Amino acid sequence: MKDSGKIVSSILRKAEKEGRNFLLEPEVYRLLKARGLPVPKHFFLPKGQLPAASSLKRLGTERVVVKVVSPLIQHKSDVGGVAVVRAGLKEVRAAVEKMYAEIPSRYSRLFGQKQVSPQEVSASIRGVLVAELVDYEQVGLGSELLLGLRVSRDFGPTITFGGGGLDVEYLNAHLKEGHSLAILPAEGLDLRTRLSVLEPLAVFGKIARDFRGRRAVVRPETLLKAIEVFQKLGADYSPFNRRTEFTLEELEVNPLVIKKGKVLPLDGLCRFSRQKLEPADRPVEQIEKLLIPETIGIIGVSEKMNVGHIILNNLIQNGFPREKIFVIKPGLESIEGCRCFPEVAALPGTVDLFILTLGADMVYPVIKDLVELEKARSVIVIAGGLGEKSGTQSIEDDIRYLLREKRRQGKMAPVINGGNCLGIISVPGRYDSTFIPEYKFKRPAGIQSGLAIVSQSGAFMLSRMSNQPRFEPLYAISVGNQLDLTLGDYLIYLQDRPEVKIIAVYAEGLKPGDGWRFLEGARKAVKAGKKVLVYKSGRSPEGRKATASHTASVAGDYAVGRSLMNQAGVLVAETIDDFENFISGLILLQGKRLSGNRVGLISNAGFESVIMADNLKGEDGELVLKEFAADSVTRILKVLQPLGIDRLQDVHNPLDVTPMADDTAFCGCVQAILEDPNVDCAVVSCVPMTAALQTLPSGEGHRENIFSANSLAERMIKLFRETEKPMVVNVDAGALYDPFCRHLQDNGLPVFRRCDRAVRFLRKLVNSGMKQL
């Protein structure tokens, strides 16, 4: 094994020398064998040579598989390039001669003679591979497996494992995501996590666990060892690894079979390249100057109100000192009380942050001055159209080259946020660099919970903040085109910031390889106790097209990204509603313990009990209904007895207390459920129209008061504060009951307006792998 690297590299170099970027099947066998995977007994028979009886005898089987070997022919079965025959000289020769005679014309008919003539196909045939016919375990579904490695543009090397053979497409089309194929990173997961990814697979239970009286045909450790071989290959020949000259773009074994408890690859393909990604050389530590600057420079401010002037006003109105703001404005001494300078070179020293609001075609000269004169430690490029409008991509490339050369010389170069971004809001930095006037956007104020929003779209960022005005983010960062700083850079930086507790990310497209960096930052953030939430758009072909035109980047493979992010401990929101609900829930449920998925459900309406039960299971996991403990049942019956409800309803989970339950009875049951040892979390739902509950503020025509000490709201607030268990509330009613909901929310309770949404939120939360909120 110590020379396996040399063997693999020599195989790849030989193929490259022959003008190929892929391996022939004998070469794939050799590569896998060099890395410790057993392969079928086989030999290569060059074209023009006859098989020897001794070679056939060494295969040790009565029947053999004959497969054509040609750099043109990737799908051998389609052109008659695979045959199973008796292991005799006569039979093997006949099969080989038939292939040589028929394959050229078949290939040309199938793929078009204009593209490749029969003569060219014939000339491409190197010979045949003759291999033992493997007698492998036949268990129906799971008899044939797939094990693959491919380089994702976003996330680097990823491993795929699941059902193989002819079942691949069918399983993918008909099974839920995560049940047909498992997707793993090439590195970064421990053994327990890797096993947890395999467990849900439809084939895993059939082959690696005892199944209907039949013993498991393979140990889980054996499958994990085969996967580790591919993970090691992915890491060694990664586009990030410059110690090796090649990148394995794709390596697939299909089918992979099981023989006597061991895995054996039957067919394989491999593509490779010399493409390597540039290592990230951005000084992430300089983001501190971007987010918490002591001095700010700005260019593009007009005496009349324009984008630059709006930003200047926002900086001042959010508390940044005028004497620390320097405006590049020739011909003026000051504007809005801030000193003006005629050009970048005239700035009094190096500013921590420089805000550039000029048009796309005027960006490069300013950046060039800032870089060459070392006048800024960080820059925000607001300019719209940069990287999107035809002809501006070269401007971005020129800026990247400028930064890269400066950094390679070991000199200071600014980190750049943008372009095509809306700006940044930083509470610790005392500034708002967005170009939205204050009268059009009221910045959230209220609960300060350590929230950082990192969004590729500035409009998305402000819309979420506008919809959730109770939560004031520490940082709201619109990253735009990621000309320099990327989403991954911000994850790397924020995971180490003690003031940040929650990182909420909106992503449209990741820069090449930045997904790997993003996952690295996410894993570290989760390990440090932070919560990372992601909403990823650009999933469909139409969405990816819109993404490319909107932020000048291309969205990656969503299924791969979602799987890898889940494994890293990231909460992945499927909808915008989910994204907002998770922000709210993660903030309001801070300090609650996630000890399990046993849920207690309570409502005063029968339909809600049914709907909540219908939503216990989903692709993201499940909530489990356990019967209440005997002591809890006794407590609940005692609470319901004065109203006679105990004679109408049995006590079970979900608990329907009927519209007859008043504030005392309803909350007495909630308390019993929260204190039940068989309950880990709870959904408390009420339809508030019943006259038995106080769900209105005081007013004419009734005696209700949601603010009275014994009201439903005040009792639930008290219970929420006393329990360590996650508890969410649902109020399914219209605007009349908004004051009731607001009162609960103002006191920290997560409130939903549909019971199914409440259950789905809690289900995803408790199945996230987190232990403490």
Side-chain angles (χ1 to χ4, degrees), residues 25-46:
E25 195 156 27
E27 295 168 329
V28 176
Y29 275 6
R30 190 175 167 218
L31 183 151
L32 295 174
K33 187 176 181 181
R35 282 310 181 99
L37 269 183
V39 297
K41 297 174 187 175
H42 67 281
F43 64 88
F44 175 63
L45 183 64

Side-chain angles (χ1 to χ4, degrees), residues 558-575:
Y558 180 68
V560 170
R562 177 166 60 181
S563 178
L564 297 180
M565 284 190 281
N566 282 333
Q567 293 165 34
V570 173
L571 280 167
V572 181
E574 297 299 325
T575 66

Side-chain angles (χ1 to χ4, degrees), residues 346-554:
L347 282 171
T350 302
V351 295
D352 287 336
L353 168 61
F354 192 92
I355 302 170
L356 202 160
T357 71
L358 300 175
D361 57 340
M362 301 172 69
V363 168
Y364 181 76
V366 177
I367 294 289
K368 188 171 183 289
D369 283 347
L370 291 170
V371 172
E372 291 182 348
L373 301 174
E374 297 187 359
K375 286 294 186 177
R377 295 181 179 88
S378 66
V379 179
I380 297 175
V381 178
I382 303 292
L386 189 65
E388 296 180 346
K389 189 177 178 181
S390 177
T392 61
Q393 290 85 357
S394 62
I395 297 175
E396 286 195 336
D397 291 339
D398 290 344
I399 292 171
R400 290 191 186 101
Y401 178 80
L402 196 66
L403 296 172
R404 188 163 55 247
E405 289 304 302
K406 193 78 169 179
R407 288 165 184 166
R408 281 177 177 171
Q409 294 168 15
K411 297 179 180 179
M412 194 273 288
V415 290
I416 298 179
N417 183 84
N420 190 34
C421 77
L422 194 66
I424 292 174
I425 299 172
S426 171
V427 172
R430 298 176 298 165
Y431 78 84
D432 175 354
S433 68
T434 66
F435 54 84
I436 307 300
E438 189 179 38
Y439 64 87
K440 294 289 288 185
F441 175 67
K442 184 174 176 57
R443 203 175 76 183
I447 300 176
Q448 295 184 352
S449 53
L451 172 65
I453 300 175
V454 184
S455 176
Q456 203 165 343
S457 163
F460 181 94
M461 177 182 81
L462 293 190
S463 294
R464 305 289 71 73
M465 293 168 68
S466 179
N467 285 339
Q468 297 183 297
R470 293 180 300 134
F471 309 127
E472 181 179 13
L474 280 171
Y475 305 108
I477 304 164
S478 163
V479 302
N481 288 356
Q482 305 173 85
L483 183 159
D484 185 39
L485 289 174
T486 64
L487 292 172
D489 291 333
Y490 280 109
L491 260 290
I492 293 289
Y493 175 77
L494 292 172
Q495 60 88 18
D496 204 32
R497 297 298 303 180
E499 73 273 20
V500 175
K501 309 298 180 186
I502 301 166
I503 306 170
V505 179
Y506 169 69
E508 291 174 352
L510 295 163
K511 289 298 178 182
D514 193 52
W516 182 87
R517 190 167 171 80
F518 185 94
L519 291 175
E520 180 188 9
R523 290 189 197 100
K524 290 179 178 178
V526 171
K527 190 175 181 180
K530 302 182 193 302
K531 313 301 181 294
V532 181
L533 169 66
V534 173
Y535 178 65
K536 176 75 171 66
S537 66
R539 310 173 194 179
S540 64
E542 295 79 11
R544 285 193 290 274
K545 184 177 179 181
T547 296
S549 63
H550 180 53
T551 59
S553 54
V554 180

